[in-house]
Amino acid sequence: MRKVKLDQEETGLLESFEAGEWHTVEDSDAKVLQYRDYARVTFKKDRRIVTTQAIRPSSGPRPKKGEMGVWRAAKPLSKPP
């Protein structure tokens, strides 16, 4: 028989199985369906559309490099009387 090299995790699983620590799951068909549904929901593509709009006036001066995010009005605001 050919010897297969097992990594540490596989060796641990084999030793656990051979020690009789594994047991049959009751109602395994229902469990398979349950975990299949969990997997389906986990990997389901999200169909939401994300839209991002720039928050800046349609007219007016463009900001300089250091002023990103700070926008000035095209016309100065009038002073209160």
Side-chain angles (χ1 to χ4, degrees):
M1 186 170 165
R2 191 171 126 193
K3 284 277 192 173
V4 178
K5 289 188 177 182
L6 303 176
D7 64 12
Q8 186 177 6
E9 181 181 9
E10 292 170 333
T11 304
L13 290 172
L14 180 61
E15 289 172 357
S16 171
F17 179 77
E18 290 175 345
E21 297 174 353
W22 292 42
H23 304 283
T24 304
V25 176
E26 293 180 21
D27 198 17
S28 62
D29 291 335
K31 289 287 186 184
V32 168
L33 292 175
Q34 178 184 9
Y35 288 111
R36 185 178 294 157
D37 287 342
Y38 291 160
R40 185 176 295 122
V41 171
T42 300
F43 295 109
K44 181 179 178 183
K45 288 189 177 183
D46 193 2
R47 292 195 167 99
R48 290 180 291 178
I49 298 172
V50 178
T51 59
T52 307
Q53 296 178 350
I55 304 172
R56 68 180 176 106
S58 59
S59 64
R62 295 190 59 98
K64 295 179 184 174
K65 231 179 193 178
E67 299 175 340
M68 292 304 290
V70 179
W71 294 91
R72 296 185 187 127
K75 297 180 184 176
L77 299 173
S78 61
K79 294 182 182 178

